[in-house]
Amino acid sequence: MTKNRFGDFFHPIFAVDLVYDFMISVNNVSVVFGGFYLLDSVSFLINKKDRIGLTGRNGAGKSTTLKMLAGLQIPSEGNISMASDIKIGYLPQTKVYTDGNTVRKEAEKAFADLFALKDEVERLNLELAGREDYESEAYMKLLDKIHEKTELLAIRGENNIDREVEVVLKGLGFKPEDLDRNCEEFSGGWRMRIELAKILLARPDIFLLDEPTNHLDIESISWLESFLQTYSGAVVLVSHDRAFLDNVTTRTLEISLGKVYDYKVAYSQFEQLHKERIEQQMRAYQNQQKQIKDTEDFIERFRYKATKSVQVQSRIKQLEKLERIEVEEEDMARITVRFQPAVRSGEIVLTGKELTKAYGDHVVLKGIQLDIKRGEKIAFVGKNGEGKSTLVKMIMNEIPFEGELKIGHHVNIGYFAQNQAQMLDENLSVFDTIDYVAKGDIRLKIRDILGAFMFGGEASDKKVKVLSGGERSRLAMIKLLLEPVNFLILDEPTNHLDMRSKDVLKEAIKEFDGTVIVVSHDREFLDGLVTKVYEFGGGVVKEHIGGIYDFLQKKKIESLNELQLSASPTVSATKKEEPETVSENKLSYEAQKELNKKIRKLEKRVADCEQKIEKLETEIGEVEADMATPEGASDMALYEKHQKLKKDLDQTVEEWEAVSMELEEMQGS
């Protein structure tokens, strides 16, 4: 392990010590594509109960790494060893679907080994019934085998299959009536949920999940978090959902420039440590560049002087042997993008009366009332299929509906949906697509903006017609950023964005002085962005004042106290309780909001203390190791440093105990 200022939180992985109780060992693995090293001699261990987030820029090799761990791709060099009889559950980003089964029957495929065991027990019992050599050794062995298999069947819980299937499918958003529908009746996103259900039900030793939240809504993501948090096996996942990573993982493996770096922390803490590593790497890079220049200057100055030939040759060999430091350029550049200014809209941006939409006998929305004012930033949330995108399409007049909908004075709508990507001119390049809509000084930053959305370098010269669906969606988002609008409607804008691109977009929306509607399941993206939440469900829309986490906390409280409202389908969208009820609930809600704020602050203080304690303990260990050497034994400065560190540790532990007690009391109130 390399010792540095990050202490025990971070080490670059180049070799491993196989003394741990590991599940998977990656040993000096390289992946080469056309002479380019995607991964270069990386090694790491996955241990039992590890919760690992795999991160890195797009194209760094995250999905490739998952495929190798799943045994679906062989490394170009090195090897991957696994513990015996390890059972792996792998969810790719895309899946080839098979048709012909109901949702329930497809999910039950997860129990194939259990069904096989059950068939074996039945076969053995039939064999036993036909035997009459009751005293023979073979008969006794058969009895023992039947007893062993029957016990194993009982342990596996053959009678709980139906219950397990229903619990998992319900958690992933399926309704009871959905379970007996054929899989082909569902969209690709819902069929990915079925694949995820099969993996969860199979109870593997390790989950390998590639973007598992892409097709889930907020409630299903929350359920999956709880499932993974309490699961007894290991988890390795790739996700662009910060909140999901923070709530599930405790370790982060970063792939950067072909190497893997191991951080023993969840994603948010990793981001800070990663930033410090890049700064440290940049300083080392700059020092090395100076060293190279000085060496090259020396060689050039004395190349033709016979008296210096030995030194010149020595310096040339030094340069040849020097391992060049690389810095990931993406992390060195930060860019701020703002939506282009537009004419100020009227106070009332959008009103709707008795908005109703049905597909045949299925009523999606009924009697919805809307009243959206200038400057409001609103999140549309709820399970998939409850009408979020339907209402957006009604606002955009893309589908017929009943009721009255009126757009306000001077309202200029900027609309982003997945199908917007199909409206791009396929014959233009990426750069020309943006250059065409950019006006004024912003044109000088086009390449920076493209880079921030993963179109850096040669990618900006690609023709639109060769772009993938995800790339087209990102390009459509950039195009929208540069158009002058005062009312943004964004339907799942982050689905194809990496962490950095999402940050750029989020900051742009926060700075936007117009009105915003965002349909999204990404809690971290919505956090600090919206001030009102519209919850869709049962044909109605319920208004919640506050941010996304205020809404989720309130929903959790309601659920715990069984206060869920079973609203009639005829209730209006933003229907509010009677005035006296509003005032009472508002007081309780504000008090709860303030309590949650205090709890979050205390939780951060506890986490900061724990991080500081671990750092101090590491530093004390390093000083004590130095004190144990002959030179250190007589070094008074080391003893003084040791005493100071011990004092700091004691004070930090005292603070941690006090804050932890305060947090426990507040959580129990």
Side-chain angles (χ1 to χ4, degrees):
M1 181 181 294
T2 302
K3 289 186 178 180
N4 56 35
R5 66 186 302 271
F6 303 112
D8 195 37
F9 282 108
F10 155 80
H11 56 88
I13 304 177
F14 303 110
V16 294
D17 184 355
L18 302 180
V19 298
Y20 299 103
D21 186 17
F22 68 88
M23 299 180 74
I24 300 178
S25 174
V26 177
N27 306 305
N28 295 315
V29 161
S30 296
V31 175
V32 186
F33 291 116
F36 168 72
Y37 275 77
L38 183 66
L39 296 174
D40 186 4
S41 299
V42 303
S43 302
F44 58 89
L45 293 174
I46 299 174
N47 303 303
K48 292 179 179 178
K49 298 188 178 181
D50 264 348
R51 297 287 189 274
I52 299 172
L54 196 57
T55 189
R57 64 192 294 182
N58 279 47
K62 301 185 295 294
S63 294
T64 299
T65 300
L66 282 187
K67 287 177 185 175
M68 288 194 298
L69 294 175
L72 300 176
Q73 183 170 328
I74 299 172
S76 307
E77 301 167 9
N79 64 83
I80 297 175
S81 26
M82 300 186 184
S84 59
D85 301 323
I86 187 173
K87 187 176 179 182
I88 291 174
Y90 170 61
L91 180 77
Q93 282 194 44
T94 56
K95 180 75 178 178
V96 177
Y97 307 101
T98 54
D99 295 332
N101 274 330
T102 64
V103 173
R104 186 192 302 275
K105 288 295 182 185
E106 188 66 24
E108 285 177 354
K109 285 184 178 180
F111 298 96
D113 59 335
L114 185 56
F115 291 137
L117 181 61
K118 190 175 181 180
D119 290 342
E120 185 180 4
V121 170
E122 288 177 1
R123 181 184 58 78
L124 291 172
N125 277 318
L126 282 173
E127 182 183 340
L128 185 70
R131 298 280 289 267
E132 295 182 356
D133 53 334
Y134 308 119
E135 302 299 327
S136 70
E137 183 180 349
Y139 188 86
M140 292 302 168
K141 283 185 177 178
L142 183 58
L143 276 177
D144 288 342
K145 191 172 184 180
I146 290 173
H147 178 69
E148 176 191 339
K149 299 290 184 183
T150 304
E151 275 197 344
L152 185 57
L153 203 57
I155 291 170
R156 284 294 313 274
E158 62 170 316
N159 297 322
N160 295 329
I161 291 177
D162 287 345
R163 173 65 180 155
E164 288 185 39
V165 166
E166 288 172 6
V167 166
V168 170
L169 288 173
K170 180 184 176 184
L172 293 177
F174 289 92
K175 298 173 182 176
E177 58 268 27
D178 292 332
L179 305 194
D180 296 314
R181 291 171 57 192
N182 287 332
C183 294
E184 51 263 41
E185 294 179 30
F186 292 87
S187 67
W190 280 95
R191 291 164 85 177
M192 283 301 292
R193 294 192 192 206
I194 299 171
E195 293 301 319
L196 177 56
K198 286 160 62 176
I199 292 167
L200 300 181
L201 287 165
R203 303 180 191 173
D205 300 301
I206 179 170
F207 286 117
L208 304 175
L209 307 177
D210 198 348
E211 297 288 1
T213 66
N214 266 6
H215 305 285
L216 303 182
D217 49 59
I218 284 179
E219 292 182 13
S220 300
I221 292 172
S222 182
W223 179 88
L224 180 59
E225 280 177 0
S226 300
F227 183 98
L228 295 177
Q229 285 166 352
T230 57
Y231 192 70
S232 59
V235 178
V236 180
L237 62 90
V238 174
S239 179
H240 288 144
D241 186 329
R242 273 191 184 88
F244 184 72
L245 285 169
D246 275 342
N247 291 333
V248 173
T249 66
T250 55
R251 179 181 167 197
T252 303
L253 291 180
E254 180 200 15
I255 303 176
S256 175
L257 298 173
K259 300 298 183 185
V260 173
Y261 298 88
D262 192 350
Y263 299 78
K264 299 178 184 177
V265 294
Y267 189 82
S268 290
Q269 290 172 280
F270 149 76
E271 283 191 300
Q272 180 58 37
L273 296 173
H274 166 79
K275 181 182 175 184
E276 293 178 21
R277 177 180 73 79
I278 292 297
E279 289 172 355
Q280 184 188 64
Q281 198 176 48
M282 189 62 192
R283 286 194 294 272
Y285 169 80
Q286 290 168 344
N287 289 336
Q288 187 182 70
Q289 289 301 302
K290 184 178 184 303
Q291 177 191 346
I292 290 170
K293 186 178 184 305
D294 291 345
T295 305
E296 288 174 341
D297 287 347
F298 180 90
I299 293 169
E300 189 61 33
R301 189 180 311 120
F302 299 109
R303 182 184 294 274
Y304 304 108
K305 289 196 176 182
T307 56
K308 295 286 186 179
S309 62
V310 174
Q311 293 95 322
V312 167
Q313 289 304 314
S314 175
R315 299 291 175 91
I316 290 173
K317 287 178 181 178
Q318 282 179 14
L319 282 182
E320 289 173 349
K321 292 179 180 178
L322 188 66
E323 186 174 339
R324 303 293 174 116
I325 296 171
E326 294 180 279
V327 181
E328 196 165 355
E329 291 181 8
E330 183 180 13
D331 295 287
M332 295 163 58
R334 297 293 172 197
I335 183 169
T336 300
V337 179
R338 293 191 176 187
F339 286 93
Q340 297 306 292
V343 176
R344 184 179 174 87
S345 72
E347 178 66 21
I348 302 299
V349 172
L350 179 69
T351 56
K353 296 178 181 178
E354 297 298 324
L355 300 175
T356 300
K357 177 62 183 175
Y359 294 97
D361 294 332
H362 178 54
V363 178
V364 181
L365 297 168
K366 185 166 184 180
I368 306 303
Q369 313 294 332
L370 285 180
D371 186 10
I372 296 176
K373 298 178 181 178
R374 183 181 63 236
E376 288 188 320
K377 290 184 170 68
I378 301 168
F380 281 9
V381 303
K383 292 183 178 179
N384 288 0
E386 293 290 354
K388 303 186 298 295
S389 294
T390 297
L391 183 55
V392 167
K393 289 175 182 176
M394 290 162 64
I395 294 171
M396 296 305 301
N397 202 29
E398 289 186 348
I399 55 175
F401 60 91
E402 297 177 18
E404 181 184 342
L405 197 149
K406 185 178 180 182
I407 306 295
H409 189 56
H410 283 316
V411 171
N412 186 14
I413 299 177
Y415 176 45
F416 175 84
Q418 298 306 314
N419 63 353
Q420 296 301 110
Q422 307 309 316
M423 300 179 186
L424 299 170
D425 186 338
E426 292 195 338
N427 296 313
L428 291 178
S429 69
V430 169
F431 182 88
D432 290 339
T433 299
I434 302 307
D435 189 43
Y436 183 75
V437 296
K439 307 294 180 186
D441 292 343
I442 196 71
R443 296 187 66 195
L444 302 175
K445 296 183 179 180
I446 289 177
R447 293 207 180 272
D448 291 335
I449 296 170
L450 289 172
F453 283 86
M454 299 178 283
F455 286 113
E458 295 177 359
S460 65
D461 297 323
K462 284 183 179 179
K463 294 287 186 183
V464 171
K465 60 186 172 186
V466 304
L467 299 181
S468 67
E471 288 173 324
R472 290 189 184 208
S473 291
R474 294 203 304 274
L475 187 59
M477 176 57 69
I478 303 170
K479 190 168 178 282
L480 177 59
L481 273 168
L482 300 180
E483 293 175 347
V485 297
N486 51 33
F487 183 19
L488 286 172
I489 301 178
L490 310 175
D491 194 353
E492 297 291 1
T494 65
N495 269 4
H496 299 286
L497 302 183
D498 66 359
M499 299 287 195
R500 183 166 175 266
S501 304
K502 285 200 295 186
D503 287 343
V504 171
L505 177 61
K506 182 174 179 177
E507 287 305 312
I509 297 173
K510 285 171 74 172
E511 294 297 321
F512 180 63
D513 60 1
T515 311
V516 182
I517 290 175
V518 186
V519 182
S520 179
H521 61 259
D522 190 327
R523 296 154 298 172
E524 191 278 334
F525 182 76
L526 294 174
D527 184 32
L529 186 63
V530 300
T531 54
K532 187 181 288 187
V533 176
Y534 281 5
E535 178 191 10
F536 287 66
V540 303
V541 184
K542 186 177 178 183
E543 180 185 90
H544 298 266
I545 305 298
I548 189 65
Y549 281 105
D550 297 320
F551 160 72
L552 291 173
Q553 182 65 27
K554 187 178 180 184
K555 288 293 291 179
K556 190 178 292 184
I557 293 168
E558 288 179 352
S559 176
L560 288 172
N561 292 283
E562 298 181 350
L563 295 178
Q564 295 277 30
L565 298 177
S566 54
S568 162
T570 58
V571 177
S572 67
T574 55
K575 182 178 174 82
K576 303 176 177 66
E577 292 79 7
E578 294 301 318
E580 51 272 21
T581 311
V582 169
S583 130
E584 182 181 340
N585 285 353
K586 181 74 174 175
L587 178 63
S588 144
Y589 169 71
E590 291 298 338
Q592 184 64 46
K593 182 179 176 182
E594 187 60 30
L595 177 64
N596 292 339
K597 186 177 178 182
K598 290 178 181 177
I599 287 174
R600 285 197 293 270
K601 283 185 178 179
L602 288 174
E603 286 174 339
K604 186 177 186 307
R605 284 183 63 191
V606 168
D608 289 345
C609 286
E610 289 173 349
Q611 186 173 342
K612 187 175 179 182
I613 288 168
E614 192 157 354
K615 183 180 178 183
L616 286 168
E617 287 175 342
T618 301
E619 290 180 3
I620 288 170
E622 291 172 352
V623 171
E624 287 175 346
D626 291 339
M627 289 167 65
T629 63
E631 298 82 6
S634 58
D635 189 341
M636 292 307 297
L638 276 178
Y639 279 88
E640 290 173 5
K641 183 178 181 181
H642 185 261
Q643 290 301 312
K644 184 180 183 307
L645 288 171
K646 291 281 286 183
K647 184 179 178 182
D648 289 347
L649 179 61
D650 291 340
Q651 289 175 347
T652 307
V653 169
E654 285 179 11
E655 182 185 355
W656 175 81
E657 289 173 347
V659 176
S660 296
M661 286 180 64
E662 187 179 351
L663 177 60
E664 286 178 13
E665 289 173 4
M666 196 162 288
Q667 287 174 330
S669 63

